[in-house]
């Protein structure tokens, strides 16, 4: 957590592929490896399946991208738990009935946003480092889940939600993928074409300078955490549509992979540099890797080892820190 | 000259006190509340068992502190605890005679894991959070290879001694004091000075002839060695091997570091605070239990209290802060 | 001249698309103070760093005492007797002064354990000469981060001196120092020269160069264009050598015209020069005491005095960047909200802060965003949605008006030379049409011709009806630009100099007279 | 008061009322909630009778170290018996000795532990797995191809179950194409199964265990292959609902009950032990008391059990526990 600066890809002279292209190439390479190791892996149906699985990580990682860009050690470890909580609320409120969808989604997102607000307030006004603030928030949200459910999640996804997520739209592609595309475009627009986005990059690049340029730094940061939790909540709802019923740890496992997706996509953990397009590809890379590992018939232990090693290789392709000596 | 140094010492002491004070205050409050809620808190079993509970987290928190001070973070420390413990338990296999060998094996594992992390972060220059997240898979996978299912036993003498008391002082407390002493000794060493410098400003340190990469590697290696000590404490505490045993210590160790007043940005703080921070964290769980908070609300209260502790830990920094200047 | 102590030749270094050094070199002898001059971005710091080992050149040879030297890092340089004071300081804020001075070369006892006493002694010895700068008490055990900029600069110098160099590189080592501290440093340098040390000295202050140096090597566009005996040359000639054959740029059309030309659709404020006044009453912070004054539109109010007497703090406080514990400011009869930079900015106040890197710019972000940021909300739809074309046009006008030398608006601002970075930091505010402009050392480290351009911008702002408050560590600059000067001492206004009373010598004597105990 | 080793309860003295502690180190699964709630209900009955006075529950997501702390807290609360659902088969051994050293009776449920100081009151996990494995082997037949979605590699219950199932498949000549991990997590199970389906077009069946059948079902359903692939299911309402809906089109499955009510059975045993009863020699093997698997839901019994359970929420596990009388039969 030093103050790493990404090696800027050479200007006019030495052209290097940008992070998005590189991550994309890796995804393709993994698919090819998959097809060789286990024929059928690159089939259309399987690719669609992989994309579908990637979508949840991809949506959770929208918010993660935003808080990481905000810098100052920005990271949101609570996204997985927030997504779980949102799905639990959504499931209980909609309870299998289409008529309740709007209320359920609104309520879930509202609660998620409120959690994000607390994260943001803790990070700004209480000056708790984001890593531990959002880590502590996991415990609180888990507590809220237990208090809310008494340990027993209830309800079910409404059919309309399920068909929106799982139903085929065109080319046999599930609606989920179109939702992801839409949210992804929204994220890119937010980051690149809004005052919030530019303020966010400025805050991430140099918080003091942002303050002294009249940027409302705290407001920007708080909004970043609110957005992060909201996108996590949204991912929870989508996941609910996918699994139809919920479980107390439904989305917990997205915590660190969401960070990894962001980094593989070329966003700098130190903040100020990055974007969502890379993250989306990063989510696909990680998902393809998981799919590939699943289909490899090696023992669970070695599978874990291979997972780690491949992750290291992926990370070393991009997102390395600046050299001290130039 | 003498006047100068006296003023300087006052400054320095005040700086240390300011960041340490909040942690000490939290510890005092936690102990007081726990003692008030738990009638037998000061009984010898309660004391011994409490300290026995603290040691693994205390040890890993010291290791995490060093890594954090160097400007990094190690999310694989828990997996290292697991790997070191299963290797050690395989080596010792219940035989006291092989215990020294097991200690050496655990330390060896910590050293190698730390060196690998150091290599990946300092030489390949990967970003620590994600790089050590990746190596944690490697380590926990290897732990499963070494010990596919729980088993193996720790010599009876070790588990017994760990729970013993010498002249009324729990052995586990002595171990914590030993960890603090070890930290104090390390602090006087050039490597730790360089760790502070690199974590504070790597560019400046590099230009000032500090071997930055080597120092970062040292940071991770020391982190790994303390993870190995934590592994040994875990073994003494559990009496047996388990291929998942340490994984969840990682995030708690980071929380302990922050509650102890060390800056996650690196370069500022120390393991003394982290030791207290680890104890505070463990006591919070006890307090929530003995306060008879209803089961369904216990995790909520627990989480809220930890966030409160994290906020309190930052108060000295808050006071010293000058906006934008 | 005998065998040169240092010979650098044919040094090339490329950063991505920027050829920072393109055949630079330098030859200097023992016992010489050798100036390294050139405009911003000409490669001086890069050449210095090549010698000090923090930059590895693509090509080029370095000979020391006639033998070819391989400098692969700072440790190699150290082994060859090179020590450097970097433009970007190389001290660690959280370590104490002592720890910084001995950093990397800590005295140790057995097994690498630190020898604290030896370290203190070494640090005390290195700093003794500069004791006056610390009011006579060496802050050996204070964290460097708690010191003022001048004090930090001195620690950096002491650290280099403590390494006992044969070759000492000073890269803009005087930029944060005030006159009297500069004199101490010069005395030290002269002693080193007498001891046969070679000092390579980089500064944009030509008076310093003439006062201290024997010869000067001039860089332009990464190339050495010549070496001159300073005794046999004058300032004009030196400037000509630095700027080249390009016609010396006349001060341009005023910056305010530029501002008017690019103001966006939100520019609804009409500037009525006579009406704008800023009144400050009893402003107090932990570094300011009861500061009161009034400035009219069109006036440039200078802030003078010794370095670190609260000038920067005053500007920060007016912008809300330092916490005001008392007092008020009134702009055009309406209270100016203190305590929030965002509110200050919206009330029409602009701050060009003293530390560009830390406070003024977003190094890794594109020039485009750096220029847009302060004013984009005026051009955005519903204050949120940005139009790429509009933003580009706004930034582009500013680049042209201020003659900022850039490749593309999309390049990170960090790829610009210091002077051009400074123009970006000023330019972002011009797009916002400020009514009050606070300038903290706006030409620090800026080369001669950029300086002139910035002066023109400042004058233009005033002419166009803005209130301008200017702090400068350069007395010449204060003299040239100010209509009035407030001399600050220990956070309070100690003296006010009216236009006719402002001169460089008067500024120096005012500053010094206020601190009689600190005679050098 | 506790360091003298009497732990408040005394050595099988039978002088109640007793204090019971529960240590549960995992709350991420509704199964565990059901387990805690069932125990609380059964406890309330004893409480009314004055046999017991306090149930101290320690239930949180934690690791082995945290569970050790839980158990120490229970010891410090002077409980007479501890019922523990252990996070590790071995790593709690030392703290169990601390408890039993103070005269506290310790019972492990759901997952047997190695400590000889502890009485395991568990179902036979191997047998549990074998029932569904045998059924699946029969369905796909010799030479049939299956994939496996397991829990967490290295987790003892997982290893025990898979060990038994693998033997069955080997013996029956069923080809296991691959074994993947679904982490006992519905969503993960669904994603893993989706990947497997695309990679192994020739698959005839899938064996999964405990908590993932619903996800596996949805993945197979989404691929439109419910009619070709046999799924070993589970006795939980969510899965049974899907199963019931698909029955019309000929879908068959099996659900072997893994009872959260094991905690209740253990409570009965604990009370007997505290009251001074001794296990009958035939009812205990070493330190393990194996309680029978309550029942299995299959084609024949589906309607009956669905009728009883359909009102429960999706996460509900079909349950069963020993009655007091049945428990008493384990004693002399
Ligand atoms: N690390 C770097 N990455 C990219 N470009 C760089 C880097 N360092 C220097 N440059 C570029 O190299 C050129 C020379 O820079 P250098 O710092 O040597 O100039 P300088 O003469 O010291 O200027 P100044 O007077 O402003 O200090 C500039 O164009 C600068 O932008
Ligand atoms: N990492 C980097 N990437 C790109 N450019 C850099 C980098 N580091 C330094 N530079 C460039 O090198 C030049 C010199 O930088 P330096 O920090 O020495 O100057 P400064 O303090 O900003 O101001 P000045 O050069 O005006 O004195 C600047 O133009 C800067 O943009
Ligand atoms: O055996 C049980 C069940 O598998 C449940 O799903 C979670 O806890 C495990 O221990
Ligand atoms: Mg320079
Ligand atoms: Mg420069």
């Amino acid at each position: 957590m030093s103050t790493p600066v990404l090696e800027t890809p050479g200007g006019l002279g030495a052209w290097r592929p940008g992070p998005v292209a590189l991550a994309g190439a890796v995804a393709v390479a993994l698919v090819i490896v998959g097809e060789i190791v286990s024929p059928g892996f690159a089939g259309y149906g399987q690719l669609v399946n992989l994309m579908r699985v990637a979508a949840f990580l991809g949506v959770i990682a929208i918010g993660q991208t935003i808080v990481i860009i905000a810098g100052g050690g920005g990271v949101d470890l609570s996204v997985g738990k927030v997504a779980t909580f949102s799905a639990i609320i959504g499931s209980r409120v909609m309870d299998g009935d289409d008529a309740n969808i709007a209320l359920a989604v609104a309520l879930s997102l509202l609660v998620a946003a409120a959690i994000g607000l607390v994260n943001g307030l803790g990070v700004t006004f209480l000056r708790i480092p984001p890593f531990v603030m959002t880590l502590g928030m996991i415990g609180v949200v888990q507590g809220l889940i237990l208090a809310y459910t008494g340990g027993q999640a209830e309800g079910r996804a409404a059919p309309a939600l399920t068909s929106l997520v799982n139903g085929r739209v065109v080319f046999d592609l599930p609606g989920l993928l179109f939702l992801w595309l839409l949210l992804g475009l929204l994220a890119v627009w937010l980051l690149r074409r809004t005052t919030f986005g530019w303020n966010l990059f400025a805050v991430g690049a140099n918080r003091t300078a942002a303050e002294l340029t009249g940027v409302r730094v705290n407001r920007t940061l708080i909004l970043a955490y609110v957005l992060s939790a909201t996108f996590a909540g949204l991912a929870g709802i989508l996941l609910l549509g996918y699994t139809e019923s919920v479980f107390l740890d439904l989305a917990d496992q997205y915590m660190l992979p969401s960070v990894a997706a962001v980094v593989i996509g070329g966003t700098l953990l130190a903040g100020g540099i990055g974007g969502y397009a890379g993250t989306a590809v990063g989510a696909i890379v990680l998902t393809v890797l998981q799919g590939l590992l699943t289909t490899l018939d090696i023992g669970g232990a070695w599978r874990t080892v291979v997972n780690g090693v491949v992750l290291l290789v992926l990370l070393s392709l991009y997102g390395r820190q600046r050299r001290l000596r130039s | 000259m003498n006047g100068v140094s006296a003023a300087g010492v006052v400054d320095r002491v005040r700086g240390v006190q300011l960041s340490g004070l909040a942690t000490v205050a939290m510890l005092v409050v936690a102990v007081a509340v726990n003692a008030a809620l738990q009638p037998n808190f000061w009984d010898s079993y309660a004391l011994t068992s409490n300290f026995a509970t603290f040691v693994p987290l205390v040890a890993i928190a010291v290791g995490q502190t060093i890594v954090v001070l160097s400007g990094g973070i190690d999310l694989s420390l828990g997996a290292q605890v697991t790997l070191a413990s299963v290797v050690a338990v395989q080596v010792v296999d219940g035989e006291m005679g092989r215990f020294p060998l097991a200690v050496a094996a655990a330390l060896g594992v910590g050293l190698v894991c730390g060196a690998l992390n150091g290599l990946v972060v300092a030489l390949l220059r990967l970003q620590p959070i994600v790089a050590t997240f990746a190596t944690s898979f490697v380590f926990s996978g290897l732990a499963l290879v070494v010990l596919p299912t729980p088993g193996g036993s720790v010599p009876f003498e070790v588990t017994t001694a760990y729970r013993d008391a010498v002249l009324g002082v729990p052995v586990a407390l002595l171990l914590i004091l030993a960890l603090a002493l070890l930290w104090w000794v390390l602090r006087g060493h050039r490597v730790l000075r360089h760790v502070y410098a690199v974590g504070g400003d790597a560019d400046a340190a590099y230009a000032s002839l500090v071997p930055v990469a080597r120092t970062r590697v040292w940071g991770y290696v020391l982190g790994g060695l303390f993870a190995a000590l934590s592994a040994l404490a875990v073994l003494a505490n559990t009496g047996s091997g388990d291929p998942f045993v340490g994984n969840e210590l990682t995030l708690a160790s980071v929380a302990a570091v922050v509650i102890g007043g060390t800056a996650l940005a690196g370069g500022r703080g120390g393991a003394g605070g982290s030791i207290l921070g680890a104890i505070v964290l463990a006591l919070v769980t006890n307090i929530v239990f003995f306060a008879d908070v209803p089961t369904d609300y216990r995790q909520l209260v627990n989480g809220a209290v930890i966030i409160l502790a994290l906020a309190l830990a930052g108060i000295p920094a808050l006071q010293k802060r000058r906006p934008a200047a | 001249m005998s065998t040169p102590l240092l010979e650098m030749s044919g040094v090339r270094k490329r950063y991505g698309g920027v050829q920072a050094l393109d055949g630079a070199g330098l030859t200097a002898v023992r016992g010489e103070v050798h100036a390294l001059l050139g405009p911003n971005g000409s490669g001086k710091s890069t050449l210095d760093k090549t010698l000090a080992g923090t930059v590895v050149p693509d090509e080029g040879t370095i000979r020391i005492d006639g033998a070819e030297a391989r400098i692969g890092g700072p440790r190699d340089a150290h082994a060859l007797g090179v020590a450097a004071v970097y433009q970007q300081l190389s001290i660690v804020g959280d370590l104490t002064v002592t720890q910084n001075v001995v950093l990397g070369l800590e005295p140790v006892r057995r097994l690498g354990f630190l020898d604290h006493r030896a370290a203190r002694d070494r640090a005390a010895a290195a700093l003794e000469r500069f004791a006056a700068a610390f009011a006579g008490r060496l802050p050996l055990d204070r964290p460097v981060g708690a010191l003022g900029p001048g004090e930090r600069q001195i620690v950096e110098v002491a650290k280099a001196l403590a390494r006992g160099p044969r070759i000492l590189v000073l890269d803009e080592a005087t930029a944060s120092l005030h006159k009297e501290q500069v004199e101490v440093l010069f005395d030290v340098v002269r002693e080193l020269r007498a001891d046969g040390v070679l000092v390579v000295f980089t500064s944009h202050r030509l008076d310093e160069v003439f006062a201290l140096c024997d010869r000067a090597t001039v860089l332009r566009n990464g190339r050495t264009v010549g070496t001159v005996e300073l005794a046999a040359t004058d300032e004009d000639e030196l400037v000509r050598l630095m700027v080249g054959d390009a016609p010396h740029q006349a001060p341009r059309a005023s910056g305010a015209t530029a501002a008017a030309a690019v103001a966006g659709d939100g520019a609804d404020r009409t500037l009525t020069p006579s009406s704008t006044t800023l009144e400050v009453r009893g402003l107090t912070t932990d570094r300011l005491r009861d500061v009161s004054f009034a400035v009219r539109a069109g006036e440039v109010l200078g802030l003078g005095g010794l370095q670190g007497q609260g000038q920067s703090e005053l500007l920060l406080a007016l912008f809300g960047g330092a916490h005001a514990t008392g007092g008020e400011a009134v702009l055009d009869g309406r209270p100016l909200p203190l305590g929030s930079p965002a509110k200050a900015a919206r009330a029409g106040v602009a701050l060009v802060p003293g530390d560009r890197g830390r406070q003024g710019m977003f190094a890794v972000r594109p020039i485009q965003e750096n220029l847009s940021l302060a004013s984009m909300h005026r051009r955005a739809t519903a204050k949120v949605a940005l139009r790429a074309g509009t933003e580009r046009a706004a930034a582009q006008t500013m680049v042209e008006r201020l003659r900022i030398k850039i490749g593309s608006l999309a390049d990170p601002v960090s790829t610009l030379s210091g002077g051009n970075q400074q123009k970006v930091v000023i330019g972002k505010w011009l797009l916002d049409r400020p009514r009050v402009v606070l300038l903290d050392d706006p030409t620090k480290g800026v080369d001669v011709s950029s300086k002139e351009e910035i002066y023109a911008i400042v004058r233009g702002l005033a002419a166009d009806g803005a209130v301008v408050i200017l702090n400068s560590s350069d007395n010449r600059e204060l003299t040239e630009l100010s209509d009035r000067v407030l001399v600050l001492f220990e956070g309070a206004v100690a003296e006010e100099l009216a236009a006719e009373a402002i001169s460089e010598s008067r500024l120096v004597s005012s500053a010094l007279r206020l601190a009689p105990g600190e005679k050098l | 008061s506790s360091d003298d080793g009497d732990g408040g309860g005394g050595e099988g003295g039978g002088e109640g009322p007793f204090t019971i502690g529960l240590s549960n180190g995992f709350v991420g699964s509704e199964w565990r909630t059901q387990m805690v709630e069932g125990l609380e209900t059964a406890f309330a009955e004893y409480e009314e009778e004055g046999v017991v006075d306090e149930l101290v529950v320690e239930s949180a997501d934690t690791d082995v170290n945290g569970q050790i702390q839980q158990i120490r807290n229970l010891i410090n609360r002077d409980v007479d018996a501890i019922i523990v659902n252990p996070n590790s088969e071995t790593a709690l051994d030392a703290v169990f000795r601390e408890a039993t050293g103070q005269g506290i009776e310790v019972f492990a449920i759901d997952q047997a532990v190695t400590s000889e100081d502890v009485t395991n009151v568990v179902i036979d996990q191997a047998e549990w797995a074998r029932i569904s494995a045998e059924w699946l082997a029969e369905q796909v037949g010799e030479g049939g191809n299956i994939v496996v979605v397991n829990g967490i590699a290295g987790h003892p219950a997982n290893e025990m179950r898979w060990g038994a199932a693998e033997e069955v498949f080997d013996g029956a000549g069923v080809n296991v194409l691959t074994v993947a991990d679904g982490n006992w997590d519905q969503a993960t199970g669904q994603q893993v199964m989706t990947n497997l389906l695309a990679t192994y077009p020739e698959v005839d069946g899938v064996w999964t265990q405990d908590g993932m059948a619903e996800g596996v079902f949805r993945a197979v359903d989404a691929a439109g292959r419910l009619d070709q692939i046999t799924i070993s299911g589970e006795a939980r309402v969510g899965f049974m609902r899907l199963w019931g809906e698909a029955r019309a089109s000929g879908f068959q499955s099996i659900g072997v009950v893994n009872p959260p009510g094991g905690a209740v059975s253990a409570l009965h045993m604990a009370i007997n032990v505290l009251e001074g009863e001794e296990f009958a020699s035939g009812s205990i093997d070493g330190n393990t008391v194996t309680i029978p698997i309550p029942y299995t839901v299959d084609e024949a019994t589906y309607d009956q059990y669905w009728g009883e359970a359909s009102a429960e929420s999706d996460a509900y596990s079909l349950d069963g526990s020993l009655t007091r009388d049945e428990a008493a039969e384990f004693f002399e």
Side-chain angles (χ1 to χ4, degrees), chain D residues 121-181:
Chain D
V121 182
V122 292
I123 62 164
D124 181 346
Q125 297 285 0
E127 173 62 16
W128 179 85
R130 213 172 285 130
I131 297 172
S132 58
E134 278 165 0
W135 175 83
L136 181 66
E138 199 172 300
Q139 297 291 312
V140 299
E142 189 167 349
N145 295 313
I146 65 163
V147 293
V148 174
V149 180
N150 260 338
I152 296 172
H155 200 285
N158 187 68
E159 300 303 318
M160 221 178 291
R161 292 168 183 174
W162 173 235
E166 193 175 21
E167 245 171 55
V168 171
F169 295 131
D170 279 352
V174 171
N175 299 322
V176 178
L177 298 176
T178 192
V179 180
D181 296 329

Side-chain angles (χ1 to χ4, degrees), chain C residues 10-192:
Chain C
V11 182
R12 281 171 218 283
K13 178 70 188 179
R14 189 179 187 86
Y15 291 107
V18 181
Q19 191 72 47
L21 292 178
D22 191 13
L26 167 88
T27 301
V29 296
R30 215 169 267 102
E32 178 185 3
V33 182
H34 194 104
L36 181 61
L37 305 179
N40 290 130
S42 56
K44 304 180 297 294
S45 295
T46 308
L47 193 63
D48 284 340
K49 287 183 197 162
T50 305
L51 180 56
T54 51
V55 162
V56 177
D58 304 329
E59 265 178 65
T61 48
I62 302 175
R63 289 174 182 280
I64 291 179
D65 273 335
E68 184 158 346
R70 269 285 306 135
I71 303 183
R75 308 200 132 230
D76 295 342
H78 173 71
L80 291 163
V82 179
V85 166
Y86 294 88
Q87 189 173 0
Q88 225 78 68
L89 301 187
S90 66
I91 48 182
V92 180
D94 288 321
L95 295 186
T96 66
V97 169
T98 297
Q99 291 168 350
N100 266 289
V101 170
V102 300
L103 187 59
L105 296 172
E106 291 85 357
V108 290
R109 288 179 293 212
R110 266 163 296 123
L111 301 169
F113 285 94
L114 299 164
D115 184 342
H116 299 286
R117 176 157 309 177
R120 277 180 65 86
D121 292 348
R122 202 193 284 173
L127 279 160
E128 234 169 359
R129 299 288 310 256
F130 299 95
F134 301 101
R137 299 193 302 159
L138 298 184
L140 290 178
D141 297 313
R142 290 185 65 190
V144 168
L147 304 180
E151 293 170 320
R152 267 183 272 166
Q153 179 77 62
I154 287 171
V155 174
E156 172 88 3
V157 170
K159 187 174 85 177
L161 292 176
R163 273 143 223 245
R166 284 200 296 160
I167 301 175
L168 175 65
V169 177
L170 298 175
D171 190 0
E172 297 192 28
T174 57
S176 304
L177 298 186
H178 236 272
K179 196 89 182 163
E180 70 288 349
Q181 293 162 353
V182 170
E183 282 308 326
V184 181
L185 175 60
F186 283 8
D187 287 345
V188 174
V189 167
R190 290 187 186 110
E191 275 170 36
L192 289 172

Side-chain angles (χ1 to χ4, degrees), chain B residues 116-195:
Chain B
L116 179 71
N117 279 329
L119 182 89
V120 160
V121 170
L123 301 180
L124 293 180
R125 304 195 312 280
L126 303 192
Q127 304 179 72
I129 292 186
V130 279
T132 54
F133 170 57
T135 56
S136 76
F137 283 106
V138 177
F139 302 149
S140 49
L142 288 175
L144 269 172
V145 172
V146 172
L147 187 73
T149 51
S153 70
V154 176
F156 183 73
E157 295 89 326
V158 174
T159 52
T160 309
Y162 185 72
R163 290 159 169 73
D164 211 346
V166 179
L167 302 172
V169 183
V171 169
L173 171 58
L174 295 176
L175 291 175
I176 291 173
L177 294 176
L179 286 166
L181 183 73
L182 191 55
W183 160 251
W184 185 80
V185 169
L186 280 172
R187 247 191 87 113
H189 195 274
R190 185 172 46 197
V191 165
L192 252 292
R193 169 65 51 75
H194 288 176
V195 160

Side-chain angles (χ1 to χ4, degrees), chain A residues 5-6 8 322-323 326, chain C residues 15 18 20 39-46 49 86-88 171-172 175 204 355-357 361 363-364 412-422 443-447:
Chain A
V5 172
L6 208 66
T8 33
R322 178 176 57 87
R323 268 181 200 284
S326 35
Chain C
Y15 291 107
V18 181
N40 290 130
S42 56
K44 304 180 297 294
S45 295
T46 308
K49 287 183 197 162
Y86 294 88
Q87 189 173 0
Q88 225 78 68
D171 190 0
E172 297 192 28
H204 288 293
D355 186 337
R356 176 173 64 245
M361 65 175 206
V364 296
V413 75
S414 62
T415 58
L416 300 183
S417 82
N420 284 305
Q421 290 173 352
Q422 188 68 30
T443 62
K444 177 162 144 189
V446 165
D447 67 28

